[in-house]
Amino acid sequence: MHAPLHALHRAAPALLAYLAVRGTGLALLTVWAHRRHHGVWPILATQWDADWYLGIADHGYAHELGTAYDANNLAFFPLYPVLVKAVAALTPGTRASTGLAIAVVASVVAAWGVFAVGDRLYGRRAGIILTVLWAALPVGLVQWMGYTESLFTALAAWSLYAVLTGRLLTAAWLAALAGLTRPTGVAVAAAVTVAALLALRRRFCPRALAATVIAPLGWCGYVGWVGLRVGRWDGYLAVQRLWHNELDGGRETLRRMRQLLAYDPTPDLFLVLVTFTLVASVVLFGLSVGDRQPVPLLVFTAVLLAIVLGSGGVYFPRARFLLPAFPLLLPLALHLSRASPRHRALVLAAAVAGSAYCGAYMTLVWPAAP
């Protein structure tokens, strides 16, 4: 009991800072939405992907593949809607409010995990800054929407922390849950599997061997179940194709970047933001390699980047897809932890203000899903 309380006390400044950053974004969204005569709660709890997850919680999954585009809910992984349905059965309120509450609670757990990783690698100050940077990402508002990014980041962060502290079985079970949360859960499974194989290379360990089996179970289990449900071995891939989403080696990503930056005279601000996020992520990954981050963190971000950049699917949600890739922010956090207080305060204040504005813009002005 003493250890968790001590860990919470150590993380308290980071968690308070996280709540302050996201509270700032929510305040600006509320003011902007009021002036546009929009309600904040529907934006956060019931629109876009949140509506798909609520539909799964209410009615379950489709029974066949079908032929309609952008219509098959088997593309969405099950852990979050299952939690929404289970918790809503035990608590008052609608499933939409339950889903939003789960996302917000998961975001705080995720922020704690992000801090724990940063603190473990570079100390408490870097951990706090890393948490603030993650909270202040341009699409950080998604952390407080009825989406899966917060739950997935929480599972990924604590799985990676368990790897860093030598608890491979714990990391593997968290990776399995992450694999039931988002398609990119395979990145967490890959990170844990590589860590377990490196441990086995040093010496045989039954726990490490078990971790290699457990880590991919969630992702493989759901993908396999979809195949059985629609009656074909590539069922999940077929579902993704109906959502215009398959790996193409990055051709579509480069085409959209070139179109936006070279040929579109008036590119939308949100698409420019997405493009900047993708380019910055590649640069930050290079810096992470140069900093010699632990191999599991590099594997996690490398696989995540490969999936997001190599996809031929829709372009505009890709900044959100990279929201769980918090280890990419470690080089910035380390730099700011060593900078002067004035420089650090200016950079973080600008990040928080920019995140608040971008969050309101992407939900109130941008016409599609974040």
Side-chain angles (χ1 to χ4, degrees), residues 160-227:
L160 293 172
Y161 179 76
V163 167
L164 294 176
T165 53
R167 293 173 292 176
L168 288 175
L169 273 183
T170 299
W173 285 114
L174 290 171
L177 291 174
L180 288 171
T181 307
R182 289 194 60 79
T184 46
V186 68
V188 190
V192 175
T193 300
V194 168
L197 291 175
L198 290 174
L200 285 171
R201 184 180 179 183
R202 291 190 294 269
R203 65 180 180 86
F204 178 78
C205 173
R207 288 176 176 267
L209 184 61
T212 64
V213 176
I214 295 169
L217 281 181
W219 189 88
C220 292
Y222 181 69
V223 170
W225 178 81
V226 171

Side-chain angles (χ1 to χ4, degrees), residues 243-329:
W243 284 86
H244 309 279
N245 193 21
E246 54 185 324
L247 295 177
D248 68 353
R251 289 191 300 273
E252 176 66 11
T253 303
L254 292 174
R255 186 190 72 81
R256 290 302 304 270
M257 286 182 174
R258 185 169 62 250
Q259 179 186 3
L260 281 166
L261 300 178
Y263 299 109
D264 191 341
T266 57
D268 188 279
L269 173 63
F270 184 68
L271 294 180
V272 173
L273 172 66
V274 171
T275 302
F276 170 78
T277 301
L278 297 180
V279 173
S281 296
V282 174
V283 173
L284 288 171
F285 180 74
L287 294 175
S288 299
V289 173
D291 286 346
R292 296 185 179 181
Q293 279 185 17
V295 171
L297 270 63
L298 293 175
V299 170
F300 170 65
T301 50
V303 174
L304 200 56
L305 278 171
I307 293 172
V308 174
L309 296 176
S311 170
V314 289
Y315 187 76
F316 56 82
R318 299 195 192 193
R320 169 169 63 88
F321 294 163
L322 286 175
L323 193 61
F326 70 93
L328 293 175
L329 299 170

Side-chain angles (χ1 to χ4, degrees), residues 21-267:
V21 174
R22 293 281 23 105
T24 301
L26 181 60
L28 179 59
L29 173 64
T30 302
V31 172
W32 197 340
H34 177 73
R35 291 183 177 179
R36 285 175 159 259
H37 307 289
H38 290 300
V40 173
W41 184 85
I43 292 173
L44 300 180
T46 65
Q47 294 185 7
W48 303 299
D49 283 18
D51 186 46
W52 283 99
Y53 287 116
L54 292 173
I56 294 168
D58 287 338
H59 308 297
Y61 281 104
H63 289 275
E64 56 188 22
L65 182 61
T67 57
Y69 285 99
D70 304 329
N72 195 312
N73 65 5
L74 288 166
F76 298 88
F77 276 52
L79 183 59
Y80 177 70
V82 166
L83 284 176
V84 170
K85 184 174 183 178
V87 175
L90 302 174
T91 57
T94 64
R95 283 179 175 169
S97 59
T98 300
L100 182 57
I102 289 173
V104 172
V105 171
S107 77
V108 178
V109 177
W112 190 354
V114 169
F115 165 78
V117 171
D119 182 28
R120 175 80 181 182
L121 292 176
Y122 300 123
R124 191 182 193 190
R125 178 184 293 173
I128 294 171
I129 295 171
L130 179 65
T131 307
V132 173
L133 290 173
W134 182 70
L137 286 171
V139 293
L141 179 66
V142 172
Q143 296 163 10
W144 282 12
M145 296 175 69
Y147 280 43
T148 56
E149 273 72 17
S150 290
L151 178 61
F152 180 73
T153 306
L155 293 167
W158 284 108
S159 179
L160 293 172
Y161 179 76
V163 167
L164 294 176
T165 53
R167 293 173 292 176
L168 288 175
L169 273 183
T170 299
W173 285 114
L174 290 171
L177 291 174
L180 288 171
T181 307
R182 289 194 60 79
T184 46
V186 68
V188 190
V192 175
T193 300
V194 168
L197 291 175
L198 290 174
L200 285 171
R201 184 180 179 183
R202 291 190 294 269
R203 65 180 180 86
F204 178 78
C205 173
R207 288 176 176 267
L209 184 61
T212 64
V213 176
I214 295 169
L217 281 181
W219 189 88
C220 292
Y222 181 69
V223 170
W225 178 81
V226 171
L228 292 173
R229 193 167 181 87
V230 302
R232 51 188 291 181
W233 70 270
D234 65 339
Y236 186 76
L237 297 178
V239 170
Q240 285 293 341
R241 285 193 289 270
L242 288 176
W243 284 86
H244 309 279
N245 193 21
E246 54 185 324
L247 295 177
D248 68 353
R251 289 191 300 273
E252 176 66 11
T253 303
L254 292 174
R255 186 190 72 81
R256 290 302 304 270
M257 286 182 174
R258 185 169 62 250
Q259 179 186 3
L260 281 166
L261 300 178
Y263 299 109
D264 191 341
T266 57

